[in-house]
Amino acid sequence: MSEFLQFALAICVIIVAAKVGGYVSLRLGQPSVLGELAAGLILGPSLLNVFNWSFFTDEHLGVTITHLGELGVIWLMFVAGLELDVRELLRSTGVAALAGALGVVVPLLLGTGVALWAGLGVEPAIFVGLILSATSVSISAQTLIELRVLRSRVGLALLGAAVFDDILVILFLSFFVAIAVSGSGASLLGLGVILLRMIAFLVGALAVGAFVLPRLTLRVARLPISQGVIAFVVVVSLAYALAAELLGGMAAITGAFLAGLMLATTPVKEEIEQGMDTLAYGFFVPIFLVNIGLETDVLSLESGELLFTAGITLVAVAGKVLGSGLGASLGGFGRRESLQLGIGMVSRGEVGLIVASVGLLEGLITTEIFSSVVVMVIVTTLVTPPLLRLSFTFRPKAQPAPASRANE
């Protein structure tokens, strides 16, 4: 079988498995994203290991699927931004800042403590805490979209908190790596440079989005080009994602989210939404969700590593629920809304993997720790959708009113 036919077969298997898994999940009363993630685990090395079967001989197949999945998460966050209103998002800035900040600090402290207890050195332990501080709301955003509550107070604050989380984690990561690798003087200079890059990117992205993109979008819409607006949006979303990483030092998904947020103000929003929904959910997003499971081998962990993995996974869940939930509470949210926001921040997704990859590359963590982190990312990603759905749909039974004395 040629390499192209192997690729075509792999895509067919992934999309069919994703949609079947999503359908089964919906029938069981859970978000479809949970079934799509589970489909990846079933197809991957943890169970069937389908893409290592004899007729899949292309050694580049896994890389190609990963790249398609990365496009999927970019356009998933773009669609999430497209569904929001900038003015609504700005109203939740205070609670988002508190939830994002405490959602970084609490997991950082708890994760470092667990890693030290497990016998790791100070530097690896702190880095494990940094990994647990990261968050990726792409899965939560998809779940909130399915529940039709993305534009609720919790949904808006959640997305805002994720931006603050992203900024703080990158600052801490840059600071720590600079200290560990280059020395404290270089780290302070590097931290200042990173901060200036972030500010410059955010200001530039918002300025271009407010004054340039609306005019360009209308001009493109008038051109006699087949699907010109969608082609333009694809380029803009990718350009924002590239700029976020290369210029701002931030995650690519943050740039994609900002691109969607800016294009949501254009008169052709409905056309953009319809086209990008079809492109993302029909092809790229299912590949992204399934690929998370394809890259994980739960069976490779040894008994001692399993205990460490279980520890950091529990801390990963508790740290975000307690930290971000406390931040939301301090920002004026009630208990239920604070819990919902905290749960929404639990998934680590690709952001956690990115931070872990940096640590592995710099020699700050071992391959065994990295494997444990991958499992933690998978578990937090899997548990977030059902917990989030339960937090929005569960209603405690009303307590009967006490009988009045007249009825005694």
Side-chain angles (χ1 to χ4, degrees):
M1 193 185 303
S2 69
E3 291 182 352
F4 171 74
L5 291 179
Q6 292 177 46
F7 169 71
L9 177 59
I11 294 301
C12 289
V13 170
I14 287 172
I15 292 180
V16 170
K19 295 306 178 183
V20 170
Y23 171 76
V24 171
S25 185
L26 286 173
R27 292 298 300 267
L28 294 175
Q30 298 299 326
S32 63
V33 62
L34 178 62
E36 294 177 78
L37 290 168
L41 280 176
I42 293 171
L43 293 178
S46 299
L47 191 59
L48 298 179
N49 204 13
V50 169
F51 297 112
N52 276 334
W53 290 1
S54 59
F55 46 82
F56 285 111
T57 58
D58 180 11
E59 59 183 15
H60 303 295
L61 182 60
V63 176
T64 304
I65 292 172
T66 297
H67 288 168
L68 292 175
E70 289 171 352
L71 288 174
V73 71
I74 284 174
W75 285 323
L76 173 58
M77 291 309 296
F78 172 84
V79 171
L82 193 65
E83 294 197 4
L84 300 178
D85 186 300
V86 178
R87 292 166 295 183
E88 292 179 343
L89 193 61
L90 289 175
R91 293 192 194 106
S92 63
T93 301
V95 66
L98 287 168
L102 289 178
V104 168
V105 173
V106 173
L108 172 61
L109 296 176
L110 292 178
T112 302
V114 168
L116 288 172
W117 171 78
L120 272 64
V122 175
E123 280 191 359
I126 294 175
F127 200 86
V128 168
L130 273 174
I131 296 170
L132 298 192
S133 299
T135 196
S136 174
V137 297
S138 54
I139 301 297
S140 298
Q142 168 67 12
T143 305
L144 295 179
I145 289 171
E146 290 185 17
L147 295 174
R148 299 182 180 179
V149 291
L150 185 65
R151 297 182 64 175
S152 65
R153 283 212 314 167
V154 173
L156 294 169
L158 173 65
L159 292 170
V163 174
F164 279 99
D165 186 291
D166 184 31
I167 292 172
L168 288 175
V169 167
I170 291 170
L171 281 174
F172 288 172
L173 177 65
S174 304
F175 183 72
F176 182 75
V177 171
I179 287 178
V181 177
S182 306
S184 59
S187 69
L188 292 174
L189 177 62
L191 183 63
V193 171
I194 288 292
L195 184 59
L196 288 175
R197 286 174 59 190
M198 286 183 174
I199 294 173
F201 165 71
L202 290 173
V203 171
L206 294 174
V208 170
F211 301 109
V212 178
L213 286 185
R215 294 181 176 87
L216 276 179
T217 306
L218 287 177
R219 287 191 178 185
V220 171
R222 298 190 189 104
L223 295 175
I225 303 174
S226 175
Q227 297 297 328
V229 171
I230 301 304
F232 174 73
V233 167
V234 166
V235 172
V236 168
S237 59
L238 291 176
Y240 262 66
L242 286 168
E245 283 213 8
L246 299 179
L247 302 180
M250 305 171 71
I253 58 174
T254 301
F257 172 74
L258 287 175
L261 201 61
M262 295 295 98
L263 287 171
T265 62
T266 62
V268 290
K269 175 189 174 182
E270 290 186 5
E271 180 182 350
I272 295 173
E273 197 167 14
Q274 181 178 0
M276 293 306 292
D277 277 354
T278 302
L279 180 69
Y281 295 116
F283 187 75
F284 289 99
V285 172
I287 295 175
F288 158 64
L289 295 171
V290 170
N291 190 56
I292 293 176
L294 293 179
E295 294 183 338
T296 304
D297 186 2
V298 179
L299 302 179
S300 66
L301 294 175
E302 298 179 359
S303 57
E305 295 165 359
L306 282 174
L307 183 60
F308 174 71
T309 303
I312 63 171
T313 301
L314 289 173
V315 166
V317 175
K320 287 294 183 182
V321 173
L322 294 174
S324 295
L326 176 60
S329 181
L330 293 174
F333 276 17
R335 290 183 181 178
R336 186 182 184 84
E337 289 178 315
S338 298
L339 177 63
Q340 290 167 343
L341 193 149
I343 292 173
M345 296 284 283
V346 164
S347 175
R348 289 345 189 249
E350 74 294 336
V351 180
L353 293 175
I354 289 169
V355 176
S357 299
V358 172
L360 187 63
L361 182 65
E362 298 291 346
L364 297 171
I365 59 173
T366 63
T367 53
E368 290 78 14
I369 295 175
F370 183 79
S371 297
S372 296
V373 167
V374 171
V375 175
M376 177 274 295
V377 168
I378 288 291
V379 173
T380 56
T381 303
L382 282 172
V383 302
T384 298
L387 289 178
L388 198 55
R389 185 182 185 93
L390 182 64
S391 70
F392 272 94
T393 57
F394 176 74
R395 293 287 186 273
K397 294 181 180 180
Q399 295 295 326
S404 64
R405 295 196 175 187
N407 294 330
E408 292 178 355

